[in-house]
Amino acid sequence: MTNTMAQPFSWKRTALEWLATDAPVLTYMAKATFAGLLALVISMTLNLPDPRTAIFTTFLVMQPQSGLVFSKSYYRVLGTIAGVGVSLLMMGLFAQDPVWFIAFFALWIGLCTGAGLKFRNFQSYGFVLAGYTLCIVALPVIETPLEIFSIAVSRFSEVIIGIMSATLVSDMVFPRKLFDSLLASERERFANLFAILGEGDALFAAGTETEPGSAGFSGVVGLHAVRINSSFESGTDRKARQLSGQLNQEYMHLSTTFHSLKNILAAAGERMPIEVRESLAGLYAPVASVVNASPRTPVSVEELDGIIAGVLEAKQMLQTLVEEEQRRLAPYLEADAYEAFSSASGLIVRLLGELHIHCVTYRAFLRHRLSGRASRELSRVVRFSTHTDSVLVALAALRGSGVLLVTMLFWIVTGWPYATLTVTLAVVLGLLIGTLPSPLAAVMNFFKGGVSAVAVAAVYDFYIIPEYTSDMLTLALVLAPVLAVVAWWTTQPRWSGFALGFIFLFMYQCSLDPYYRVDPTVFLESTLAYLIGIGFAGLAYLLVNFWSCSLTQQRVAKILRRQIVTLCSGTITVQRSALESTGRDMVQQFSTQGRLNLRSSRLVYAWLLSTLEIGRAVIAVRRGRKRLPLSAASDSVDGAIYAIRNYFATPSEQMRRMLLATLKEAVAVLHAQGASAGASELKRIKKAAAELALIRTIMLSEGSLPVVMEDTCR
Amino acid sequence: MPLEITLLGIQMPTLLPIFAAAAVLQILVDRILSDAGVYKHVWHPGLFRTAVFVCLFTLPCLLIYT
């Protein structure tokens, strides 16, 4: 009885599950195969010399969502134009002078490899392409320079045909929009945020530690990329993208404030008297109750209106609560404990304020998305700043140029005609794989994919193509299964390196010329040349990629400290959002490139948060300082900023103690000055004192400061 | 218009520069249409975009082949 009742339901469920998980993969396979074959047929019809480039391009730019395809294609076109242009220029200038030719070649490859690491997303891909297009266009015609023009035009045409096929198919046949997934991720992030904020008990439990990646730490950089790429799709207007960028920025602020609060509570730990902890938990209660009373995934504007009203009410309640608690606790708390209390309570107030702003922006985003009407709320253009370490870029450039010079030397020494293929593949891999998290493993997978591809290509070249194909239709039919399998591999992250190697070698070894021509000697020699090229690339990654965990920690600590020093002494044009996005972007990059283990990435994340908090406080104090009249108060603020700068420029335990004393004194002077100040001045002085006290509270826990104390890499 | 033109001393099919110009124009038109909210009222935005591009590309091409 139960079985018969359950069966129809489970069938439906299975079908739905299949539709949600397997159907998109199958659609993608069909789309990629169709796009590849379309490119092949068009380039063969137009009689282009190398149709494989078109089909290869299709596979390189093909992605499940159309926004990604457009973005990648756009940068691929730009990269190809730059690469072809530089090839023409270099052949024109140095065709007769090998030394200068190789020197400029190495310089260009080095520049492109460095830029590939410096820029993000598909911009990086554009630079990669600008680099290796030079190999593909200039190297084959190095002995016959006049042919460069025809090869440049045909290469460009083939790439364009590949790109057109990919973009057409992905936007017209069952298109999947990136912007829809952006909306889904925003929804998920909002729910996560509420879940985290609602757990007040966990926040005040002793021994809580900062987890890297919690509260969507990495999501900030990732969602930024999705937003950028979705701008290439139809149907996403500027307003929606602006609101999404603003949401991202506000989320960063919220996440920093929440984690600072968590860190202060965890660090103050045993030092904090139990009554302070209880009082803070009481202050947090309105936040937790308004969050827990709200729906986690608000779907309508009305629901958000309700949440916003609740948050506003809690905000007013919190203001009076904080003042009451301050009056109650002030008489009998020690200075340190009172400071910790006021810093933490200040953070709770700020958290609620930021939550209010975030909810208002989210409401504008939803309203815009649901009704399509332009909302009345103002939206700002938010810049997401990035930071890349110059040492990482220089190392990458060195590796790129090095690979080229070594393989060129191999070509000159051996005099082997096929060595140009070795040079090409080594340079392509040196550029293409450099931005991935573990390049050496990726080269290994590429090698495996390449070897398997050669075996399959041999079967196609010597048996299937001469036996079964007579025209374009039959050629397309016999190629379809291989292309479909490769498309499937590209959807599986663990197969991606293998798939890249497979498609590369398969395309270059399979006879896809306008007329069938296969020579076993050429086949074997070129295979060998390609495999040696992969070997050179692998060797380069093995030798130059010595970036270790402890070195990463030292670099991150140094950069973070330098940021605070600049904030203390430079002009204060930096916005908090720029500080946050560069910091997060930098740590994200170091954690992919720098082989951090769990313990050290947790440490680096704690450093980042304390730097962001101190940096924000320094900006606030220095901005407020301008409006303070010249007096003992402004002198003490200047002294404190100077001491902070000195400590972070050359940190030592002695300096830290001195800084703590200076900060304590400055706060005391400010409080004393406040007693005799007018109402508006008192407010400014109080604000400055609160920010300095917050810096002091953070400075008390030495573990969270960006200073390498012990080796956490083991 | 001729079938092939010489640009900066390089001979290439006339279709190629026309294609590049049409692509740039398409990006501009697309931005304007998307900010104006036209795509919200279109049944298949991808198809519509392709159709706009085909129009932009083929109109000057007719000059070559007629």
Side-chain angles (χ1 to χ4, degrees):
Chain A
M1 181 71 187
T2 336
N3 270 342
T4 46
M5 291 278 287
Q7 214 158 17
F9 174 70
S10 95
W11 269 109
K12 197 179 163 194
R13 200 183 158 74
T14 316
L16 282 177
E17 238 177 69
W18 184 85
L19 269 180
T21 54
D22 296 326
V25 176
L26 279 178
T27 321
Y28 174 70
M29 278 165 68
K31 278 165 75 173
T33 312
F34 179 61
L37 295 177
L38 185 68
L40 179 80
V41 170
I42 295 175
S43 10
M44 280 194 165
T45 313
L46 293 178
N47 233 350
L48 291 172
D50 205 1
R52 67 195 74 195
T53 307
I55 188 169
F56 182 52
T57 301
T58 325
F59 267 82
L60 278 187
V61 297
M62 205 64 189
Q63 309 273 334
Q65 279 121 342
S66 11
L68 294 176
V69 182
F70 293 139
S71 174
K72 206 171 179 183
S73 305
Y74 178 72
Y75 289 111
R76 192 173 168 110
V77 171
L78 293 188
T80 308
I81 292 175
V84 168
V86 170
S87 315
L88 290 174
L89 194 74
M90 274 191 43
M91 288 302 269
L93 289 174
F94 310 117
Q96 281 104 8
D97 194 341
V99 177
W100 279 104
F101 181 84
I102 293 174
F104 269 83
F105 204 160
L107 188 72
W108 175 249
I109 298 293
L111 273 177
C112 288
T113 319
L117 197 72
K118 172 113 187 121
F119 289 87
R120 294 302 133 85
N121 309 326
F122 294 130
Q123 280 176 359
S124 147
Y125 180 68
F127 281 104
V128 165
L129 211 76
Y132 77 70
T133 300
L134 187 59
C135 288
I136 293 172
V137 175
L139 277 187
V141 290
I142 203 158
E143 319 246 296
T144 49
L146 281 179
E147 277 180 31
I148 180 97
F149 298 112
S150 59
I151 215 174
V153 168
S154 61
R155 160 94 189 159
F156 186 72
S157 317
E158 284 149 8
V159 167
I160 292 286
I161 287 170
I163 282 172
M164 284 298 286
S165 312
T167 46
L168 256 179
V169 172
S170 78
D171 204 28
M172 283 186 31
V173 186
F174 300 114
R176 276 180 71 197
K177 293 271 178 256
L178 198 56
F179 195 74
D180 294 338
S181 71
L182 183 68
L183 183 72
S185 331
E186 283 295 354
R187 227 167 232 164
E188 197 182 328
R189 187 158 79 168
F190 199 78
N192 275 343
L193 177 74
F194 267 46
I196 292 166
L197 291 183
E199 288 170 11
D201 299 343
L203 187 66
F204 291 93
T208 44
E209 256 192 280
T210 312
E211 290 289 335
S214 62
F217 159 53
S218 56
V220 172
V221 182
L223 269 185
H224 166 69
V226 173
R227 185 169 62 85
I228 294 290
N229 291 327
S230 72
S231 67
F232 286 88
E233 284 175 347
S234 53
T236 55
D237 49 39
R238 198 183 301 147
K239 181 93 180 172
R241 287 198 304 275
Q242 268 177 14
L243 285 171
S244 152
Q246 214 175 317
L247 277 176
N248 211 22
Q249 186 207 44
E250 287 162 6
Y251 182 77
M252 275 195 298
H253 293 344
L254 258 173
S255 141
T256 308
T257 309
F258 183 75
H259 279 105
S260 293
L261 179 64
K262 207 168 165 179
N263 273 1
I264 285 181
L265 290 172
E270 298 83 45
R271 286 203 307 272
M272 193 179 269
I274 189 78
E275 54 197 322
V276 173
R277 195 173 275 280
E278 275 170 6
S279 155
L280 284 173
L283 290 181
Y284 193 80
V287 182
S289 68
V290 68
V291 164
N292 288 330
S294 317
R296 288 280 149 88
T297 42
V299 282
S300 67
V301 176
E302 287 72 33
E303 271 179 330
L304 263 166
D305 280 336
I307 297 178
I308 290 169
V311 171
L312 265 179
E313 203 178 303
K315 219 169 136 183
Q316 277 157 1
M317 200 201 297
L318 192 63
Q319 288 290 357
T320 46
L321 263 180
V322 167
E323 279 163 22
E324 270 170 28
E325 287 297 298
Q326 270 175 346
R327 270 198 296 275
R328 189 175 70 85
L329 291 171
Y332 58 93
L333 271 189
E334 278 178 40
D336 275 5
Y338 184 73
E339 224 164 57
F341 165 75
S342 59
S343 302
S345 59
L347 284 175
I348 297 175
V349 172
R350 200 170 88 201
L351 187 75
L352 201 55
E354 282 168 356
L355 182 66
H356 177 231
I357 298 173
H358 190 65
C359 289
V360 170
T361 314
Y362 191 68
R363 180 178 61 183
F365 180 73
L366 267 191
R367 181 180 293 158
H368 185 77
R369 184 69 194 164
L370 295 176
S371 67
R373 273 185 293 119
S375 47
R376 268 172 293 137
E377 280 94 344
L378 284 176
S379 58
R380 291 170 288 137
V381 180
V382 181
R383 286 186 71 84
F384 188 94
S385 326
T386 53
H387 174 96
T388 312
D389 190 41
S390 45
V391 176
L392 278 183
V393 173
L395 271 180
L398 186 76
R399 193 191 57 233
S401 303
V403 164
L404 179 85
L405 291 176
V406 170
T407 44
M408 278 286 192
L409 196 70
F410 170 76
W411 184 23
I412 292 167
V413 169
T414 56
W416 188 29
Y418 292 91
T420 50
L421 303 180
T422 304
V423 179
T424 308
L425 197 53
V427 170
V428 169
L429 284 185
L431 281 154
L432 210 58
I433 288 176
T435 47
L436 299 182
S438 52
L440 199 60
V443 176
M444 293 290 280
N445 284 334
F446 190 95
F447 186 80
K448 288 177 200 160
V451 172
S452 329
V454 170
V456 178
V459 176
Y460 265 82
D461 278 0
F462 300 110
Y463 179 64
I464 296 180
I465 293 180
E467 195 82 4
Y468 295 104
T469 63
S470 50
D471 54 6
M472 267 192 283
L473 183 70
T474 44
L475 181 65
L477 276 179
V478 298
L479 276 179
V482 177
L483 298 185
V485 171
V486 174
W488 179 69
W489 279 333
T490 52
T491 60
Q492 313 290 316
R494 66 199 164 95
W495 284 97
S496 62
F498 184 89
L500 192 66
F502 190 94
I503 192 76
F504 204 100
L505 269 275
F506 182 77
M507 280 302 139
Y508 281 97
Q509 296 301 64
C510 196
S511 170
L512 294 175
D513 308 279
Y515 303 100
Y516 173 75
R517 56 155 195 248
V518 166
D519 178 355
T521 323
V522 176
F523 184 87
L524 285 176
E525 287 213 65
S526 53
T527 301
L528 190 64
Y530 281 130
L531 295 184
I532 294 174
I534 304 177
F536 272 117
L539 218 61
Y541 284 114
L542 198 67
L543 290 176
V544 187
N545 212 17
F546 50 76
W547 201 251
S548 70
C549 171
S550 56
L551 201 59
T552 305
Q553 284 192 0
Q554 276 172 16
R555 286 292 304 169
V556 174
K558 199 174 159 194
I559 295 166
L560 290 176
R561 285 204 306 268
R562 207 164 51 204
Q563 255 179 358
I564 299 183
V565 171
T566 326
L567 285 176
C568 289
S569 52
T571 49
I572 36 169
T573 46
V574 184
Q575 296 283 337
R576 184 183 170 200
S577 55
L579 184 75
E580 294 241 3
S581 57
T582 39
R584 279 162 197 270
D585 184 73
M586 182 193 75
V587 169
Q588 164 104 345
Q589 178 151 57
F590 270 108
S591 27
T592 49
Q593 300 278 330
R595 305 178 190 170
L596 293 175
N597 58 26
L598 190 64
R599 195 160 151 229
S600 53
S601 52
R602 191 176 286 166
L603 186 75
V604 166
Y605 186 48
W607 289 351
L608 172 74
L609 286 170
S610 57
T611 308
L612 292 180
E613 198 56 64
I614 293 175
R616 187 205 56 78
V618 166
I619 297 175
V621 169
R622 287 190 67 198
R623 291 236 164 97
R625 155 74 181 79
K626 281 187 193 159
R627 279 176 297 180
L628 281 180
L630 284 174
S631 63
S634 60
D635 284 349
S636 62
V637 166
D638 286 344
I641 296 284
Y642 187 68
I644 295 169
R645 185 196 165 279
N646 278 353
Y647 169 73
F648 283 101
T650 49
S652 68
E653 187 47 38
Q654 195 194 356
M655 295 275 283
R656 195 174 76 92
R657 263 185 258 129
M658 268 168 63
L659 172 60
L660 286 174
T662 316
L663 285 171
K664 196 172 186 174
E665 204 185 303
V667 174
V669 170
L670 283 172
H671 280 309
Q673 285 279 313
S676 59
S680 67
E681 208 178 292
L682 175 68
K683 205 176 158 194
R684 284 178 210 148
I685 289 179
K686 260 191 164 172
K687 193 166 183 307
E691 297 290 6
L692 289 181
L694 177 62
I695 296 179
R696 189 165 177 273
T697 316
I698 298 168
M699 296 287 306
L700 278 172
S701 61
E702 40 199 310
S704 66
L705 296 176
V707 181
V708 182
M709 296 280 193
E710 47 162 344
D711 193 9
T712 42
C713 285
R714 258 170 271 143
Chain B
M1 268 204 284
L3 267 177
E4 285 186 326
I5 59 163
T6 315
L7 211 69
L8 302 170
I10 304 164
Q11 200 180 32
M12 58 174 79
T14 320
L15 288 181
L16 214 57
I18 290 181
F19 178 87
V24 173
L25 200 62
Q26 157 81 5
I27 290 173
L28 288 177
V29 170
D30 187 58
R31 277 286 147 91
I32 294 167
L33 291 182
S34 126
D35 282 348
V38 171
Y39 290 122
K40 288 197 183 87
H41 308 288
V42 169
W43 165 64
H44 193 315
L47 197 63
F48 181 75
R49 259 167 36 136
T50 313
V52 170
F53 179 75
V54 168
C55 293
L56 291 176
F57 182 48
T58 41
L59 279 177
C61 288
L62 288 175
L63 292 176
I64 307 175
Y65 293 100
T66 48

